[in-house]
Amino acid sequence: MALLHLDTVTVVPFAERLNKPLIASGGRERLWPVLQFLGEHSCGGGTNLFGATKEFMGSFTSRGIVIVISDFFDEQGCERAVEMLRSANHDFVLVQVHSAEEQRPSAAGELILEDAETAAQRTVDCSPESTALYERRFLEFCSRLRRLALRNGGRYARAVTNIPYQEFVLRSLRSGRVVA
């Protein structure tokens, strides 16, 4: 999550709880320290978007622009967190990050999948039919997340990790009306 003020950017990484924030000030050059800071963090542990948002709201009480960057794979969902941002009158953006493989798996046969955050394992059979069903459900999940953001007065963008940053900014953020 990030709370943006006119002259500063506050970046607050989270998983189950908020981590130590980075405060960057200045003009356009403030983006690179933010990207470097985020790149130093790794995924681990479960996600509790509602708990992290509640903690965030307690720590950052002034209204601002909040950018939530996540895969949004939270067992408890993200509806309450989004509603909390809306009720606090934040201008918010949900940026869903995923790999191309998460949308369209290329593996086939019987696989053992391991959750990168919890290390839980599950055996699945990847047939062409189950892969097509999975992709359809993944895209439905993305559409529900987009509708949730829009319904609550926010914005939404999807960032696929194999798309260069510049292209993401030029295409996804502009087409989603996240940036002008």
Side-chain angles (χ1 to χ4, degrees):
M1 268 185 224
L3 177 65
L4 298 147
H5 293 281
L6 292 176
D7 296 323
T8 64
V9 176
T10 304
V11 182
V12 187
F14 70 93
E16 292 185 50
R17 297 188 43 90
L18 297 182
N19 294 318
K20 182 180 176 189
L22 166 76
I23 299 174
S25 61
R28 292 182 191 171
E29 59 277 356
R30 70 180 170 220
L31 179 62
W32 302 116
V34 167
L35 293 176
Q36 182 179 4
F37 176 74
L38 289 172
E40 293 168 356
H41 287 81
S42 62
C43 297
T47 300
N48 181 351
L49 184 57
F50 176 71
T53 302
K54 191 174 179 181
E55 189 178 349
F56 175 82
M57 302 290 265
S59 299
F60 300 92
T61 56
S62 62
R63 286 184 10 198
I65 300 171
V66 178
I67 302 174
V68 183
I69 303 170
S70 176
D71 59 12
F72 295 95
F73 294 145
D74 186 334
E75 294 289 327
Q76 299 168 0
C78 59
E79 292 80 6
R80 294 188 312 159
V82 169
E83 290 165 1
M84 187 182 299
L85 292 169
R86 181 205 65 220
S87 67
N89 293 316
H90 286 294
D91 184 9
F92 68 91
V93 181
L94 305 182
V95 179
Q96 180 185 17
V97 179
H98 66 84
S99 69
E101 185 77 8
E102 283 179 293
Q103 178 179 334
R104 185 175 290 126
S106 61
E110 188 173 299
L111 304 171
I112 298 174
L113 301 180
E114 182 174 313
D115 187 309
E117 296 173 351
T118 65
Q121 293 186 344
R122 178 181 221 167
T123 303
V124 296
D125 181 39
C126 287
S127 66
E129 296 81 18
S130 64
T131 300
L133 176 62
Y134 169 85
E135 183 176 2
R136 197 166 47 253
R137 287 186 177 163
F138 180 86
L139 293 173
E140 288 169 1
F141 172 73
C142 297
S143 293
R144 282 193 310 273
L145 186 60
R146 180 182 179 278
R147 286 191 306 271
L148 175 68
L150 297 176
R151 183 175 60 241
N152 284 281
R155 290 168 280 170
Y156 168 85
R158 249 173 65 195
V160 184
T161 57
N162 66 342
I163 295 176
Y165 169 76
Q166 295 86 344
E167 186 176 333
F168 168 71
V169 170
L170 291 174
R171 289 198 182 155
S172 298
L173 292 183
R174 285 196 175 151
S175 69
R177 300 178 193 241
V178 175
V179 296

